[in-house]
Amino acid sequence: MKLSLRGVGKTYSGRRGETNALCPLDMDVREGEFISLVGPSGCGKSTLLHIVAGLEPPTVGTVDLDGERVRGPGAELGLMFQQQTLFPWLSVRDNVRFPLTLANRCARGRAGDADRQAAQVEGLLRLVGLWDFRDSYPAELSGGMQQRAALARALVGQPEVLLMDEPFGALDAQTREEMQELLLHLIQRHRITTLFVTHDVDEALLLSDRVVVFSERPGRVLASLDVTFARAARSSELKLDEAFLHQKREILALLRGRPRTATQRDRLLLGLTNTRTEGGS
Ligand code: ADP
């Protein structure tokens, strides 16, 4: 298993007391699998992503990547967030190159020689359509172009796992579709294991092998649904497909009903098929 989460839960302690953000859950992610996490706002999706990224320690439980315990951030994990996270004082090319520069300095990355790295950065910039803008600064780019640069930066360290937190959430509808198609193209080509937080059910179904649906806070897993249509056939036209609409209705019913636990009876009542619960005690 690429990623194994065992009993991972989180309670934040602060001045205003404790916030139980995430109930302990188990989750296994196969190599190359693309999983979307959907659920109401505040149910702990970002918290889970930060725990997997090693940016936030779980209160309970463990995360293993390739059988090794995750204890902090590392080059094996590529991150991409909704907010603009490029460094404004660096050019597009230097932003994309930044993780390699950092790895070189720490001498713990998979950095090779400078020529190979330059070629890698160029290849990614061409792939995301930003080669002509390599010397521009983030403020000179549109929101979509900035997210293309952020995607290239997330991929430059050749991560084992890509962690994406509503990366297209702030984009207009058309740019968002373009980014989804670019991401589909990239994941079909590279088969990168990905955890993707979104509240857009269409986006989750378009991109994923599996959609994990969370309850409201404290988040627990209501269902884990395998997406049944072939990824090869996916495009924005898929949204008119009957099978797509059926799965979308399943997920929306879970989100609207917000059942506290997905019991067998709940699933039968909702007419769900191909659903299995996961974790959530
Ligand atoms: P989601 O991504 O599903 O919207 P989050 O993981 O961001 O949810 O947050 C889950 C809950 O944990 C929310 O109630 C949020 O206010 C709380 N929370 C998140 N981060 C912190 C923090 N650093 N300190 C205290 N509470 C937090």
Side-chain angles (χ1 to χ4, degrees):
M1 208 48 71
K2 192 72 185 169
L3 259 182
S4 279
L5 281 61
R6 289 288 168 272
V8 170
K10 181 76 182 182
T11 301
Y12 290 104
S13 303
R15 275 176 296 152
R16 286 189 291 152
E18 296 201 325
T19 305
N20 189 6
L22 192 65
C23 291
L25 63 85
D26 297 336
M27 191 183 289
D28 285 318
V29 185
R30 291 188 298 275
E31 170 115 49
E33 197 174 17
F34 190 114
I35 296 184
S36 283
L37 312 177
V38 301
S41 184
C43 74
K45 305 180 296 294
S46 301
T47 295
L48 182 60
L49 219 61
H50 289 166
I51 291 172
V52 174
L55 296 171
E56 186 76 60
T59 311
V60 289
T62 56
V63 178
D64 288 344
L65 172 64
D66 286 327
E68 299 274 328
R69 191 71 24 106
V70 173
R71 299 189 193 279
E76 322 72 54
L77 299 154
L79 306 175
M80 187 173 167
F81 300 103
Q82 177 177 343
Q83 300 84 357
Q84 211 270 85
T85 52
L86 300 175
F87 298 118
W89 61 89
L90 293 180
S91 68
V92 167
R93 180 165 34 193
D94 287 343
N95 262 290
V96 172
R97 185 162 44 199
F98 185 76
L100 300 178
T101 312
L102 201 63
N104 290 345
R105 287 213 189 113
C106 300
R108 67 183 172 92
R110 285 166 236 181
D113 58 277
D115 287 349
R116 191 179 60 79
Q117 291 187 355
Q120 199 179 337
V121 170
E122 178 176 341
L124 272 168
L125 282 171
R126 288 189 187 282
L127 203 61
V128 300
L130 284 180
W131 180 243
D132 290 345
F133 295 87
R134 60 192 177 277
D135 295 321
S136 301
Y137 287 86
E140 298 169 316
L141 304 181
S142 69
M145 290 159 90
Q146 289 176 8
Q147 286 306 71
R148 282 169 186 266
L151 181 57
R153 187 180 60 181
L155 293 172
V156 77
Q158 296 177 306
E160 298 287 334
V161 177
L162 196 53
L163 302 169
M164 308 180 87
D165 195 351
E166 303 223 33
F168 312 142
L171 303 177
D172 64 83
Q174 194 188 334
T175 310
R176 191 177 180 127
E177 261 183 27
E178 284 167 19
M179 288 300 293
Q180 288 165 351
E181 289 190 6
L182 173 64
L183 185 60
L184 257 183
H185 171 72
L186 288 173
I187 56 185
Q188 275 166 358
R189 193 164 151 163
H190 298 287
R191 297 292 297 163
I192 305 169
T193 310
T194 305
L195 285 184
F196 187 94
V197 168
T198 180
H199 59 255
D200 181 336
V201 176
D202 283 6
E203 181 170 78
L205 284 169
L206 189 69
L207 296 172
S208 311
D209 298 307
R210 191 147 56 102
V211 179
V212 176
V213 185
F214 284 81
S215 71
E216 59 194 4
R217 190 176 68 79
R220 66 180 73 226
V221 176
L222 294 176
S224 171
L225 295 105
D226 291 324
V227 178
T228 46
F229 19 87
R231 185 177 270 155
R234 294 188 204 181
S235 72
S236 45
E237 278 127 61
L238 180 73
K239 293 179 189 170
L240 305 172
D241 186 277
E242 196 45 52
F244 174 91
L245 293 170
H246 176 72
Q247 287 212 297
K248 180 174 174 177
R249 277 193 292 270
E250 288 179 7
I251 295 171
L252 289 177
L254 279 163
L255 291 173
R256 284 203 197 100
R258 296 184 184 175
R260 282 148 71 89
T261 53
T263 61
Q264 189 63 29
R265 186 168 165 276
D266 287 329
R267 296 202 302 281
L268 286 171
L269 284 173
L270 290 167
L272 297 184
T273 53
N274 195 32
T275 305
R276 57 197 151 84
T277 53
E278 195 174 310
S281 53

